[in-house]
Amino acid sequence: MQPINFRTLDLNLLRVFDEIMAERNLTRAAEKLSLTQPAVSNALRRLREVLGDDLVVRSGQGVQPTPRALALWPSVRGALAQLQQSLAPGAFDPASANSTFVVAMADATGATLIPPLVEIIEREAPGVSLRVVPLTTRDPRQLLDDESADMAVGYFPAVMADLTARAQSDSLVAYESARLYDGEYVCVMRREHPLAQAPLTLDQYCAARHLLVSFSGKPYGFIDEALTALGRERRIVLTVNQFFTAGRVVVNTDLLTVLPRHFVGVASLEGDLAWRPLPMPLPTVHVDALWHRRRRHDPAHRWLQDALGRAARHTAPAVSERADLIKNNSYWRLIDG
């Protein structure tokens, strides 16, 4: 591949590329850019010649990106967003704003954070809308890359470990995060369950029938990883994708499930369910907010970060009152002080 002479590259071609990737359709991209379709096609041709790649190919009524385009797009979009924000940062006035924020989180997290967050929005930003979408993965980075969500909130141990390792090795980190609160998972069962009358042993736990909450639908989770490390396993007979559904099923069966301890209270399930500490060691459950680094200079997004942090402090004061916000290389984390 011939080296690209960046000094002679027309940066307007990158704007066209970004819009084509966002729309997956040349006609719609042209409309968004206030250009004619021939002008967009010509710009695409020129960029193809510069990069030596087709970038997109026709597919049905639109276009399908090539692997090179998919790899290139996050960097191009992030650079354009940062440049736009630097040149015209603007201001965010919550009282007069009419922004819409999209946040991905599980129902247990939403039951904890959304009520105090809505109070903040109603008090400070009555024109702002919040759209909460289901979290279907323990790795939400793709959601943030393609802007399906402005922020993801949840327990992302593998993602956070990867970001920490990258930051410590001085690698480029494309995401930032904030520690919101620490949680605890417990074994939950109906109050009349035979195992609800005494401490739960590992043998009893493994011999029982289990319901698994799995965002992705896979019948294997971090509890199973912990059991595997001990040379043990459990029998999962039902998998659902919501904590609330799991709670309602367990109330009426002899299945065991694992829920965040705080969720049993906020979902008003305390009268129907009993919980026991899990009979195996587990790492601390950190609930983090994660967003793409290209949003770091967006005043609206920074307001959302602050509002979510205040909602978490309202929810979990014992954790948050002792917390300090620090900046660690290229991502934010809330840690115990």
Side-chain angles (χ1 to χ4, degrees):
M1 182 183 299
Q2 293 292 326
I4 298 172
N5 187 344
F6 191 77
R7 290 185 299 174
T8 62
L9 176 64
D10 184 352
L11 297 183
N12 285 314
L13 302 182
L14 300 181
R15 292 183 60 244
V16 173
F17 170 73
D18 176 57
E19 206 62 59
I20 291 173
M21 291 293 291
E23 296 296 330
R24 301 292 202 269
N25 183 284
L26 298 188
T27 300
R28 290 199 299 269
E31 292 174 353
K32 289 290 186 68
L33 292 164
S34 298
L35 297 174
T36 64
Q37 184 170 337
V40 168
S41 298
N42 182 57
L44 179 60
R45 176 188 59 78
R46 292 169 58 198
L47 191 58
R48 283 169 165 165
E49 292 174 353
V50 171
L51 298 179
D53 188 270
D54 286 339
L55 297 177
V56 294
V57 295
R58 292 194 176 277
S59 176
Q61 299 298 313
V63 293
Q64 185 71 28
T66 66
R68 176 79 190 282
L70 289 172
L72 184 63
W73 188 35
S75 298
V76 170
R77 168 152 281 209
L80 290 174
Q82 186 170 350
L83 180 60
Q84 180 179 4
Q85 187 60 40
S86 298
L87 294 176
F92 180 75
D93 177 17
S96 60
N98 58 1
S99 306
T100 297
F101 297 113
V102 181
V103 180
M105 63 176 69
D107 60 326
T109 312
T112 303
L113 292 175
I114 295 305
L117 181 58
V118 169
E119 289 183 9
I120 293 172
I121 291 174
E122 289 183 337
R123 183 174 62 249
E124 301 178 11
V128 164
S129 300
L130 181 67
R131 185 155 62 92
V132 179
V133 297
L135 186 66
T136 58
T137 175
R138 289 289 184 190
D139 187 349
R141 285 176 285 189
Q142 186 61 49
L143 290 173
L144 305 175
D145 285 346
D146 60 22
E147 297 188 337
S148 297
D150 299 302
M151 183 180 291
V153 180
Y155 176 44
F156 312 126
V159 174
M160 301 310 299
D162 181 56
L163 296 185
T164 299
R166 289 173 180 268
Q168 291 175 345
S169 65
D170 293 327
S171 299
L172 178 64
V173 179
Y175 310 91
E176 298 180 349
S177 69
R179 178 67 39 80
L180 296 178
Y181 60 89
D182 289 344
E184 175 189 9
Y185 280 91
V186 294
C187 179
V188 175
M189 63 198 79
R190 64 182 180 89
R191 282 196 171 275
E192 296 78 18
H193 196 288
L195 298 180
Q197 312 309 316
L200 183 64
T201 69
L202 183 59
D203 286 340
Q204 290 172 327
Y205 184 80
C206 292
R209 291 156 57 87
H210 294 265
L211 184 162
L212 169 67
V213 180
S214 171
F215 300 152
S216 65
K218 297 178 181 178
Y220 189 87
F222 69 93
I223 297 295
D224 303 285
E225 293 174 356
L227 288 173
T228 298
L230 298 174
R232 307 295 295 268
E233 62 181 2
R234 60 177 177 165
R235 185 185 177 199
I236 297 171
V237 300
L238 177 63
T239 301
V240 299
N241 64 358
Q242 290 185 331
F243 289 106
F244 185 79
T245 301
R248 299 314 307 173
V249 171
V250 167
V251 165
N252 298 295
T253 69
D254 275 340
L255 298 179
L256 305 185
T257 194
V258 174
L259 298 179
R261 180 177 172 182
H262 71 272
F263 180 65
V264 177
V266 299
S268 301
L269 297 172
E270 293 171 302
D272 299 318
L273 297 176
W275 66 268
R276 293 289 180 270
L278 286 161
M280 80 285 287
L282 290 175
T284 301
V285 176
H286 301 303
V287 176
D288 294 299
L290 188 71
W291 60 90
H292 201 282
R293 191 170 184 265
R294 61 174 169 255
R295 306 303 297 271
R296 67 187 314 182
H297 299 300
D298 181 346
H301 199 278
R302 293 184 72 86
W303 180 86
L304 175 63
Q305 297 166 28
D306 176 72
L308 191 61
R310 285 184 283 147
R313 288 192 290 274
H314 173 85
T315 299
V319 173
S320 302
E321 283 175 359
R322 297 179 293 106
D324 295 316
L325 188 63
I326 66 168
K327 192 174 184 183
N328 184 359
N329 291 326
S330 48
Y331 67 97
W332 289 95
R333 170 178 288 181
L334 199 62
I335 64 171
D336 283 345

